[in-house]
Amino acid sequence: MAKKVSVFSSKDELLDQALQLILETAQSSIQKRGLFTLALAGGSTPQPLYKKLSQTNQAWEHWHIFWGDERFVPSTHLDSNERMAREAWLNQVSIPPENIHALDTNFDTPKDAAAANESKLKAFWNLESGQWPSLDLVLLGMGDDGHTASLFPGTEALQVCDHWVTVGNKDDNPRLTLTIPLFNNAQTIALLVTGGNKNAVLKEILMNESGTVKYPVELIHPQGELLWMLDASAGRDLI
Ligand code: 6PG
């Protein structure tokens, strides 16, 4: 895995660069294999990026959209990552509905939802038993506690290595999340991190040469590239 840390002068410049990364990865994936598989981050950082995507013209029929995690709320709920991405981007472009693989939360329990969504993803990827899908590009964020997706410090989700989807927990609020091994089988992962409140944890992580793992995001090691994309306040004094 190659790691690259970039600090951009503003959040808007970071997101413009992230847009270029997405479009370039899409073009090369579609050229190579006829489709582009992209997993979206939730939270507030990526929303303007999804807006930028809605203003471009792509071969959307070759794009397949996934989510790295989802809050255990209806897709109409204000906290829904699916709702945020659909409103900012997906409702504005002609990606075929069947290419949008949202994490469905319409189940009695988060556990049932995780199992059902895993089956749905396995049906789409249609791999041999024991094989893991390799997403072309994964977008992730990071919280100021070093969580990523819905993989929070000290939770069982961090240990799950035999499932594609599991239940995450943020302060007893259940979530659905792709698992560490699924993320790590991706070709490229871009960590989009903004805000001075994340600078201290970022310094600890990016200067950590001990090999020990303190934060969930330190478990993220894609097959190809890990791109840390920071704005000036998150990346202050880092390079
Ligand atoms: C979510 C995200 C979560 C997010 C981080 C950063 O569902 O909220 O998956 O991991 O990326 O909490 O959030 P911000 O981008 O809002 O700082």
Side-chain angles (χ1 to χ4, degrees), residues 72-94:
F72 194 63
V73 294
S75 59
T76 51
H77 192 286
L78 271 178
D79 287 349
S80 164
N81 288 334
E82 176 187 351
R83 171 180 166 155
M84 183 270 277
R86 283 185 184 278
E87 289 185 349
W89 167 29
L90 301 173
N91 292 346
Q92 275 63 257
V93 300
S94 55

Side-chain angles (χ1 to χ4, degrees), residues 8-26:
F8 300 97
S9 59
S10 68
K11 177 174 175 180
D12 196 51
E13 193 203 346
L14 185 168
L15 297 179
D16 278 340
Q17 292 300 313
L19 175 66
Q20 290 319 309
L21 169 72
I22 294 168
L23 299 183
E24 285 161 14
T25 311

Side-chain angles (χ1 to χ4, degrees), residues 32-43:
K32 273 188 255 171
R33 297 180 305 109
L35 78 164
F36 171 49
T37 56
L38 170 66
L40 303 182

Side-chain angles (χ1 to χ4, degrees), residues 42-45 69 71 81 141-143 147-149 175 198:
S44 59
T45 299
D69 72 321
R71 290 83 181 276
N81 288 334
M142 187 195 79
H147 83 261
T148 191
R175 297 199 172 180
K198 301 172 187 179

Side-chain angles (χ1 to χ4, degrees), residues 182-201:
L182 200 153
F183 283 128
N184 288 347
N185 212 44
Q187 290 309 310
T188 303
I189 293 183
L191 273 156
L192 313 179
V193 185
T194 61
N197 62 315
K198 301 172 187 179
N199 180 251
V201 173

